Amino acid sequence: MATTTSDGWDESAAAWIASLGEAGDFGRRFVLDAPMLARLRGANVRRALDVGCGEGRFCRLMRAEGIETVGIDPTRALVERATQLDPAGDYRIGRAEALDVDDAAFDAVVGYLSLIDIADLRGAVAGMVRALRPGGAFLIANLTSFNTAGMPDGWTAEPGRAPRFCIDRYLDERAVRVAWAGISIDNWHRPLETYMTAFLDHGLQLTHFAEPAPYGGDPERVARYRRVPWFHIMEWRKPL
Ligand SMILES: C[S@@+](CC[C@H](N)C(=O)[O-])C[C@H]1O[C@@H](n2cnc3c(N)ncnc32)[C@H](O)[C@@H]1O
């Protein structure tokens, strides 16, 4: 099984761990964690697969809710960190597009800000849907396609004007190298249609869609977050 990536994740793992810290960054801690956990509670999930689990923070949060988890990620240093922080947890090196798990083994499959990092979206979705039991929840948190169309530096400042967020080439799917805080990775921009079609082609049914607002954090960050489309959450169901 491949354990290296050419997308910057191996080289960026230490900086990623440092940047996320124990509690997670602004978006995770103050925008996404609570509504993501609420969806899992509502879906009565007992066993969840977290694809692109990184250093395992969301698995740890799910496990604190009593959910049994498997976390999968190709970046060895992140999987090692996850295991170090949660030795009793199940963290495995692997790729979304080559998932080594049983069919229909999970009540929920989670992609928490990971689909934007996966080059083979269709291969990943196929594997994730296969791992989900009929009726199970496919729970996605993602950067919106409006946001990724602004990468790598959507915010522009012109003298005398408030900073603006510019998007461009919305319909052109592409990998974009983004860098901050010692991290340098590829993110994928895809039009929203690409994601929706990938899910619809598996017969998944959309049961929840949210563009969550921040529920805490530094007021300046909150104000900036509220100016542009940033994250969305989708819950799809695999038909019975
Ligand atoms: C932005 S991080 C999100 C990590 C974690 N879900 C979180 O929210 O903290 C994206 C993760 O996707 C992982 N990744 C990259 N390519 C992948 C692939 N082909 N399959 C699964 N995960 C992948 C990276 O190693 C990284 O840990």
Side-chain angles (χ1 to χ4, degrees), residues 36-119:
M36 288 288 280
L37 288 172
R39 294 315 302 175
L40 294 170
R41 274 181 217 125
N44 208 10
V45 170
R46 279 180 301 181
R47 192 152 193 261
L49 175 68
D50 185 357
V51 177
C53 67
E55 51 69 73
R57 206 185 54 89
F58 196 63
C59 280
R60 295 192 294 280
L61 291 180
M62 289 193 281
R63 278 163 53 67
E65 300 271 327
I67 298 171
E68 186 190 330
T69 63
V70 176
I72 287 188
D73 199 285
T75 308
R76 177 177 293 279
L78 296 181
V79 174
E80 286 175 355
R81 177 68 173 162
T83 305
Q84 181 188 33
L85 290 172
D86 178 18
D90 187 342
Y91 301 97
R92 308 177 189 175
I93 295 171
R95 307 189 71 83
E97 59 275 27
L99 284 177
D100 187 14
V101 295
D102 289 340
D103 292 0
F106 296 91
D107 303 309
V109 175
V110 176
Y112 193 131
L113 296 182
S114 58
L115 291 184
I116 42 160
D117 290 88
I118 295 175

